[in-house]
């Protein structure tokens, strides 16, 4: 998979060293996947929309993973920005992350992560903590190649 990582965090946008979840995604994705880029931006709807749209123009891109801004705080706006960009939502991905993580913490009920498609590219919001990134990627990673194949019209099973 060819992917990019967008960290959405006011704190990390001022000090990139504080971004721990973005590097964790890259570590998890390993060498078998190709990182096309990474960015750190503040929790701002317009910046998120602009950044998503910018990366969606990269033809060879398959997947955008965002981290941060999925909670219920006043600055948590990643889901709203993502919904503005996507053509259609894939609620099962977000539902699966929440359902399977109820075994780890009831706080998962406060996550508003969104997954969807735009321009034949999959966009998935992940929470901002390292632990949540690890737990959620373990859950959804086995689905990603198949989802990308389907999004690209390869629907023969």
């Amino acid at each position: 998979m060819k992917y990019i990582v967008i960290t959405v965090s006011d704190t990390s946008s001022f000090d990139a060293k504080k971004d721990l979840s973005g590097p964790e995604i890259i570590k998890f994705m390993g060498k078998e996947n190709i990182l096309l880029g990474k960015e750190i931006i503040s929790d701002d709807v317009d910046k998120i929309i602009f950044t998503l749209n910018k990366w969606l123009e990269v033809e060879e891109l398959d997947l955008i993973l965002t981290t941060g801004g999925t909670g219920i705080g006043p600055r948590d706006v990643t889901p709203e920005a993502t919904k503005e960009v996507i053509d259609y939502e894939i609620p099962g991905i977000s539902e699966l992350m929440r359902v399977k993580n109820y075994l780890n913490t009831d706080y998962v009920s406060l996550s508003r992560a969104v997954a969807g498609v735009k321009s034949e590219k999959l966009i998935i919001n992940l929470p901002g903590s390292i632990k949540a990134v690890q737990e959620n990627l373990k859950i959804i990673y086995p689905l990603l190649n198949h989802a990308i194949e389907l999004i690209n019209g390869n629907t023969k099973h």
Side-chain angles (χ1 to χ4, degrees), residues 50-157:
F50 174 83
T51 304
L52 288 171
N53 282 322
K54 175 181 75 174
W55 284 104
L56 286 165
E57 292 178 16
V58 176
E59 194 170 315
E60 65 270 17
L61 181 68
D62 298 309
L63 173 66
I64 296 175
L65 296 169
T66 70
T67 177
T70 62
I72 60 172
R75 297 285 294 161
D76 291 328
V77 295
T78 305
E80 287 74 23
T82 302
K83 286 180 181 181
E84 285 288 321
V85 170
I86 59 176
D87 291 327
Y88 60 92
E89 201 168 334
I90 307 174
I93 292 174
S94 304
E95 290 166 3
L96 185 65
M97 290 191 298
R98 283 188 277 273
V99 166
K100 289 212 170 181
N101 277 310
Y102 277 120
L103 300 173
N104 300 320
T105 177
D106 290 339
Y107 289 120
V108 72
S109 62
L110 304 178
S111 174
R112 300 181 312 110
V114 170
V117 175
K118 172 73 174 187
S119 304
E120 296 183 342
K121 294 162 179 61
L122 180 58
I123 302 170
I124 301 175
N125 301 154
L126 296 167
S129 79
I130 295 174
K131 184 174 184 265
V133 162
Q134 293 167 342
E135 291 167 350
N136 284 294
L137 283 173
K138 283 179 192 170
I139 292 165
I140 63 169
Y141 188 81
L143 305 172
L144 295 180
N145 275 319
H146 186 60
I148 290 166
E149 289 287 318
L150 292 172
I151 290 165
N152 286 295
N154 302 322
T155 57
K156 292 187 180 185
H157 300 284

Side-chain angles (χ1 to χ4, degrees), residues 8-70:
V8 181
S9 166
D10 289 333
T11 303
S12 295
S13 69
F14 290 114
D15 183 359
K17 292 178 187 170
K18 295 193 177 187
D19 176 23
L20 303 176
S21 57
E24 187 62 33
I25 292 171
I26 295 165
K27 178 180 166 189
F28 185 95
M29 294 296 283
K31 292 184 171 134
E32 65 272 14
N33 299 296
I34 299 167
L35 177 67
L36 297 179
K38 59 182 179 176
E39 279 198 53
I40 302 171
I41 58 174
S42 61
D43 293 276
D44 177 89
V45 172
D46 292 333
K47 283 184 185 176
I48 299 166
I49 290 170
F50 174 83
T51 304
L52 288 171
N53 282 322
K54 175 181 75 174
W55 284 104
L56 286 165
E57 292 178 16
V58 176
E59 194 170 315
E60 65 270 17
L61 181 68
D62 298 309
L63 173 66
I64 296 175
L65 296 169
T66 70
T67 177
T70 62

